[in-house]
Amino acid sequence: MMFMADPDSGLIIDVNRSAARFYGYSPDDLRGKKVSDFSQLLPAQFQETWECATTQGLDCFVSRHKLANDELRTVEIHISPVACAERAVVLGIVHDITEHKKCEEDLKTNVASLEELNTALKVILRQVEESREELSAAIVSNIGELILPNLDKLKKTQLSVSQLSLLESIEASLHNISSTFLQKLRI
């Protein structure tokens, strides 16, 4: 979408059909309007931006424009001074970036949500690790305090050789289980 405008007043001199379709006016209706008529910037803000664009070489700026149907669209306007019939004018090229800006905002929202989720997952993982460590410590403690003393008492009774061998095997297995838990706790 393109327009030509007076650099001083912002008065639209001519537009192409794409601009007319986009804004929802006929080309004749757009001629004679000012670029500021579409901008949603405050008049002072628009004037400052327009002056920067036309005199200081700001060749691109973003603004919200109101169309004929009152729809607001975000546009990126590229401005270039040109000579036309011995007169200085501004050539403006308008890009509708509404969907692009919406996607950027959605992406920012999604990134923020993912960062929150990541933080929550880290907290959950830390809690799971702490619970695992507490469970391992409780198992080791229970084996040492509840089972091994009873095995010691059992060893002091009259047992056959095979029973004593089986009891020692159970005790060795329990020590192995305990040491495995203790090693995991240290990791």
Side-chain angles (χ1 to χ4, degrees):
M1 300 162 291
M2 297 189 293
F3 65 86
M4 285 193 316
D6 179 75
D8 298 324
S9 66
L11 188 70
I12 297 173
I13 300 166
D14 203 1
V15 298
N16 67 359
R17 280 184 244 141
S18 293
R21 275 192 305 273
F22 175 73
Y23 285 101
Y25 294 97
S26 72
D28 288 336
D29 288 338
L30 284 172
R31 289 182 201 102
K33 288 189 180 287
K34 291 185 174 186
V35 177
S36 61
D37 293 341
F38 304 100
S39 177
Q40 296 301 293
L41 292 174
L42 295 173
Q45 285 179 303
F46 178 83
Q47 188 61 35
E48 182 180 334
T49 303
W50 183 256
E51 285 176 13
C52 284
T54 56
T55 62
Q56 298 174 19
L58 173 67
D59 63 346
C60 178
F61 62 95
V62 175
S63 181
R64 301 266 294 158
H65 277 196
K66 189 174 189 178
L67 309 183
N69 64 3
D70 290 333
E71 181 181 358
L72 293 176
R73 304 295 288 180
T74 303
V75 295
E76 182 178 76
I77 304 172
H78 296 266
I79 299 288
S80 296
V82 293
C84 180
E86 299 176 16
R87 175 179 172 188
V89 296
V90 172
L91 174 66
I93 299 174
V94 180
H95 296 280
D96 182 6
I97 61 169
T98 305
E99 293 305 315
H100 176 78
K101 286 293 184 183
K102 183 182 179 319
C103 288
E104 280 181 359
E105 291 304 315
D106 289 348
L107 184 59
K108 286 178 187 175
T109 301
N110 288 341
V111 165
S113 294
L114 288 173
E115 286 173 350
E116 287 175 17
L117 183 60
N118 189 36
T119 300
L121 286 174
K122 286 179 181 178
V123 168
I124 290 170
L125 284 174
R126 187 170 47 250
Q127 290 172 345
V128 165
E129 183 63 27
E130 288 170 1
S131 295
R132 185 182 67 83
E133 290 173 2
E134 288 172 8
L135 179 61
S136 295
I139 290 171
V140 169
S141 175
N142 287 339
I143 289 172
E145 293 173 10
L146 302 174
I147 298 173
L148 293 179
N150 289 324
L151 290 179
D152 285 339
K153 288 179 190 176
L154 191 55
K155 279 200 293 191
K156 294 176 184 173
T157 63
Q158 292 285 334
L159 298 173
S160 68
V161 174
S162 65
Q163 288 174 328
L164 186 58
S165 175
L166 187 58
L167 186 61
E168 288 172 350
S169 176
I170 291 170
E171 187 177 30
S173 295
L174 288 171
H175 280 294
N176 189 21
I177 291 170
S178 295
S179 65
T180 302
F181 277 119
L182 285 172
Q183 285 175 355
K184 286 184 180 180
L185 282 175
R186 289 185 198 121
I187 292 177

